[in-house]
Amino acid sequence: MKKPKGGLSGTLESYLELIHELQTQYGAVRVTDLADRMGCKTPSATSALRRLAHLGLINYEAYRPVTLTRDGKAAIRRMSAGHRILADLFTTVLGLPAELAEPEACALEHRISPTLLARIGTLMDFLHGPPGGTELRDALQQRFAKYLASAEGQERGGPKASA
Amino acid sequence: MKKPKGGLSGTLESYLELIHELQTQYGAVRVTDLADRMGCKTPSATSALRRLAHLGLINYEAYRPVTLTRDGKAAIRRMSAGHRILADLFTTVLGLPAELAEPEACALEHRISPTLLARIGTLMDFLHGPPGGTELRDALQQRFAKYLASAEGQERGGPKASA
DNA sequence: AACAAAATTTAGTTTCATCTAAGAAAAGGA
DNA sequence: TCCTTTTCTTAGATGAAACTAAATTTTGTT
């Protein structure tokens, strides 16, 4: 996870994905939105755009609308599988609402090893598929939800400042 | 996850934890080992040591043995809970052998949000505790293990980069 | 003790990702 | 149209984390 295989850092992957999302959702990619959503200032977003362009993943020219290149689209397709798997884990197993699961998946997908991701994928296949997982999944969900509700509001006693 | 709350980056956390581990395991911390285990060269390790010392987490002077300060020990105590929770998830739910789960937990613990970690902790509490999780856990483990064995060697069947 | 080998540190560079300050372009209202 | 506001970009700086090459210190051997 140290060496971005395709020369694409986790941060840049996030930018790229966000570009795709904004593009399909709003039709356009505004640098301000990009910065907002990434939690940074506009110059950082601009610089990310330049780096992405330099890597051949987007078409970028100053003050022009941004578009994805074929390579860029391919990269996104490659990445989004991981995103789905994680979001699935978070909602299905951990019982997180989609509004929480999504950003968490977003934040983690670029930092998790392919090995681990593959294994999680297998688990989710198992939990969804007929081979035998579905009842188990339902039982887990129902009983964990109940457990959560009972432990309500004190989520593991507060693992943050335990020291 | 962008802003290290206590001014301590994920990388530095890893170094700190490794220092602790080497110290308790071998009694001493050799820069070479530090570098080896972190997958970097010795100058990088040295620079990390300087940064950690500057943050008041270790006592460090050139060519001297490294020791943890009180703050350093506190930081480690604060962090290791997350490590255990993740390793537990990986072995118990995903069925990874400890030799794989450990390094994966190590790599992820500094990159996962407190929220998510807390929820995973709750899940593990549930799965281990008497409230009702244990049979579920055993069922999950056994059946998933079987599923894994059957899907042997092709982890996730192939729709990975489903394009 | 003196020298060779191993370990560690310094020096100097690189890349990434961010920032602030300030200038250029585009959009919109009067 | 012209002027103001918003948006975007450039310029320049910073800090984290890594590298190579070259000192320097420590250790171990004879």
Side-chain angles (χ1 to χ4, degrees), chain B:
Chain B
M1 285 267 89
K2 289 274 143 68
K3 279 278 166 234
K5 48 308 102 140
L8 191 53
S9 75
T11 303
L12 280 194
E13 283 190 352
S14 295
Y15 274 107
L16 191 61
E17 222 169 35
L18 191 49
I19 287 170
H20 177 245
E21 186 189 327
L22 292 174
Q23 199 166 259
T24 62
Q25 189 168 1
Y26 300 109
V29 179
R30 294 172 56 243
V31 173
T32 307
D33 293 343
L34 216 44
D36 275 2
R37 299 278 296 265
M38 287 296 294
C40 66
K41 301 302 177 63
T42 54
S44 311
T46 297
S47 120
L49 289 180
R50 268 208 264 106
R51 269 175 284 144
L52 283 174
H54 190 256
L55 289 172
L57 299 173
I58 62 172
N59 300 117
Y60 171 65
E61 241 175 311
Y63 301 104
R64 286 265 116 72
V66 172
T67 57
L68 293 168
T69 63
R70 248 216 293 78
D71 284 2
K73 287 176 194 164
I76 284 180
R77 253 176 274 123
R78 214 177 314 120
M79 298 182 316
S80 52
H83 186 108
R84 279 195 305 275
I85 290 173
L86 285 179
D88 189 13
L89 175 76
F90 298 160
T91 55
T92 302
V93 176
L94 295 181
L96 287 185
E99 305 84 70
L100 272 185
E102 271 304 311
E104 293 285 358
C106 219
L108 263 184
E109 62 181 323
H110 311 304
R111 318 191 166 166
I112 192 169
S113 85
T115 307
L116 197 53
L117 199 53
R119 175 61 68 106
I120 294 173
T122 308
L123 174 70
M124 299 320 293
D125 285 349
F126 167 69
L127 284 182
H128 288 307
T134 50
E135 333 134 16
L136 224 109
R137 182 195 60 203
D138 294 345
L140 176 65
Q141 283 181 334
Q142 287 184 15
R143 301 179 62 178
F144 184 48
K146 198 160 290 181
Y147 181 83
L148 266 176
S150 78
E152 182 69 9
Q154 60 170 6
E155 197 87 320
R156 164 141 269 260
K160 59 165 62 159
S162 57

Side-chain angles (χ1 to χ4, degrees), chain A residues 64-85:
Chain A
R64 286 265 116 75
V66 171
T67 57
L68 293 167
T69 63
R70 248 218 290 79
D71 283 1
K73 286 177 195 164
I76 285 182
R77 254 176 273 124
R78 216 177 313 119
M79 298 181 315
S80 52
H83 186 110
R84 279 195 305 273
I85 290 173

